[in-house]
Amino acid sequence: MQDLMTQSIKITPVAQSRVAQVELNNSIVMGTQFSDHMFVCDYIDGAWSNARIEPLNLIPTHPAAMALHYGQAIFEGMKATLGQDGTPLLFRPEENAKRLNHSADRMGMPLFPEDLFVEALKQYVALEKAWIPTQEGSALYLRPFMYADEPFIGMRAATTYKFVIIGSPAGPFFSRKIKLYAEKKYVRAVNGGTGEAKAAGNYAAAIRPTEYAKAKGYDQVLWLDAHDFNYIQEVGTMNIFFKINGKFITPNLSGSILSGITRMSVIDLLRHKGFEVTERPITMDEIKAAHEAGKLEEAFGTGTAVGIAMVEEIGNNDFTLKLPEANPVSVLVNNTLNAIKVQQEADPFGWIVPAK
């Protein structure tokens, strides 16, 4: 993989920032407002080149761009916060760089230099510092993504790609507990598929089932395996954790589950706090039995966009499981992660990377 760190990232700043036109408060919805700049890098003739930060603008796209026809498109989700001294901060960006390349490899796309990925984020976030909200639970959401832009109609890997980073200020995703619909007809992924890649098509396939779940009064789909519709995989845009009889269980990464950065961080944090965490297959039958026995104590989803989303109910047309109102460990995990991300609490793991 070509080392682009010997090349500087060309920066072309906007003449006038738009940030004064946007009220950066807790009510701002992620993905509705975008910051002033974007990072762009081109893959041409077998190499990444022309790394640059420039004013946010439309990207010319040929109607035959292969991403539009064959789905070679992947992305990451990250957040930037402000430290106690006002320094912009990133959370484990090197892990996102690794996961992007894992997705790229699965989708037949070129790997992106991981050191450039991190450096581009640092320079981008430093430039967009004014767009980082300061309210608790808010952040500048970062969306690195890569797509095939070669104009060609034919089933093969593209030869040209673009890697882009954009930013969107965001308030807290869920301000209340959520309800999960245990899906028994549609599936998200199967072993050998693209479930463990953060590919755009995975989310496209989830849109219709999610709309059905919302129409029934639920917030997200709880995805089950494609064969027995019993083994739990993940939740909408999140990984899932259950606290049963004092111990935490989360589905193991079986090949159809995304390796969440927040997921791995929560596992480390829970163990650091003295809790037992097991990564293994877990079924709806087991969850129902634990609920009936009064041992299902907490459940929460984890993801970059949502943070920690506490679950109040799991069900579908056949059953309903109400979880206890108290969520002491979920609250502890959420508060600790948020505090680490803004340097209100010590970071014993080395997760925080200053963007300066």
Side-chain angles (χ1 to χ4, degrees), residues 195-225:
E196 62 180 359
K198 202 165 177 65
N202 292 345
Y203 298 83
I207 289 174
R208 177 57 68 191
T210 302
E211 292 302 311
Y212 286 151
K214 289 180 177 179
K216 295 175 184 291
Y218 294 86
D219 299 291
Q220 292 272 341
V221 172
L222 176 62
W223 294 108
L224 306 176
D225 73 281

Side-chain angles (χ1 to χ4, degrees), residues 13-22 24 34-37 55-56 127-132:
V14 294
Q16 180 66 46
S17 175
R18 294 175 290 102
V19 70
Q21 303 170 21
V22 179
L24 300 178
F34 298 92
S35 61
D36 290 319
H37 301 89
L56 183 72
L127 187 63
E128 303 292 67
K129 176 181 175 180
W131 286 89
I132 304 176

Side-chain angles (χ1 to χ4, degrees), residues 8-289:
S8 62
I9 297 173
K10 181 182 178 181
I11 298 179
T12 305
V14 294
Q16 180 66 46
S17 175
R18 294 175 290 102
V19 70
Q21 303 170 21
V22 179
E23 187 176 352
L24 300 178
N25 56 40
N26 281 327
S27 64
I28 193 167
V29 178
M30 186 186 85
T32 59
Q33 299 287 341
F34 298 92
S35 61
D36 290 319
H37 301 89
M38 61 185 184
F39 172 86
V40 185
C41 196
D42 304 303
Y43 186 82
I44 301 173
D45 296 330
W48 289 101
S49 61
N50 194 19
R52 61 208 185 267
I53 296 174
E54 59 192 25
L56 183 72
N57 207 341
L58 301 181
I59 302 175
T61 302
H62 194 283
M66 293 181 72
L68 301 177
H69 300 269
Y70 304 104
Q72 277 191 301
I74 59 175
F75 66 92
E76 281 296 312
M78 309 174 66
K79 284 183 176 178
T81 52
L82 290 175
Q84 296 302 290
D85 63 353
T87 299
L89 305 173
L90 294 166
F91 184 78
R92 309 190 75 175
E94 71 288 345
E95 294 297 337
N96 291 93
K98 293 175 185 176
R99 190 173 65 180
L100 179 94
N101 279 338
H102 180 80
S103 298
D105 182 67
R106 175 62 184 87
M107 301 301 291
M109 303 168 76
L111 305 187
F112 192 79
E114 293 176 9
D115 52 358
L116 177 61
F117 180 98
V118 175
E119 183 61 27
L121 281 162
K122 286 182 178 180
Q123 295 194 34
Y124 178 82
V125 169
L127 187 63
E128 303 292 67
K129 176 181 175 180
W131 286 89
I132 304 176
T134 57
Q135 286 77 15
E136 183 178 355
S138 299
L140 178 62
Y141 182 81
L142 303 169
R143 173 52 61 90
F145 62 100
M146 184 197 304
Y147 68 97
D149 66 346
E150 179 190 359
F152 178 76
I153 300 296
M155 184 56 187
R156 61 161 171 77
T159 61
T160 66
Y161 298 83
K162 270 190 169 54
F163 174 82
V164 183
I165 301 171
I166 56 176
S168 175
F173 200 89
F174 286 118
S175 57
R176 57 174 175 77
K177 295 180 181 179
I178 62 173
K179 298 180 180 180
L180 305 181
Y181 183 80
E183 178 59 60
K184 298 294 289 284
K185 177 181 178 181
Y186 299 99
V187 299
R188 175 190 171 273
V190 297
N191 288 349
T194 61
E196 62 180 359
K198 202 165 177 65
N202 292 345
Y203 298 83
I207 289 174
R208 177 57 68 191
T210 302
E211 292 302 311
Y212 286 151
K214 289 180 177 179
K216 295 175 184 291
Y218 294 86
D219 299 291
Q220 292 272 341
V221 172
L222 176 62
W223 294 108
L224 306 176
D225 73 281
H227 302 289
D228 303 313
F229 289 97
N230 193 18
Y231 286 92
I232 293 169
Q233 294 188 336
E234 57 181 81
V235 175
T237 56
M238 300 175 280
N239 296 112
I240 184 75
F241 286 76
F242 300 96
K243 183 168 177 272
I244 298 176
N245 201 26
K247 301 176 182 179
F248 283 90
I249 304 169
T250 189
N252 58 306
L253 302 178
S254 60
S256 58
I257 297 174
L258 185 70
S259 177
I261 310 302
T262 306
R263 175 189 181 275
M264 67 173 70
S265 304
V266 167
I267 291 172
D268 290 344
L269 180 59
L270 284 171
R271 288 173 176 164
H272 182 73
K273 296 287 187 181
F275 293 97
E276 181 178 328
V277 184
T278 303
E279 300 175 71
R280 64 166 175 81
I282 182 168
T283 65
M284 275 307 313
D285 288 343
E286 181 179 353
I287 295 301
K288 290 177 183 177

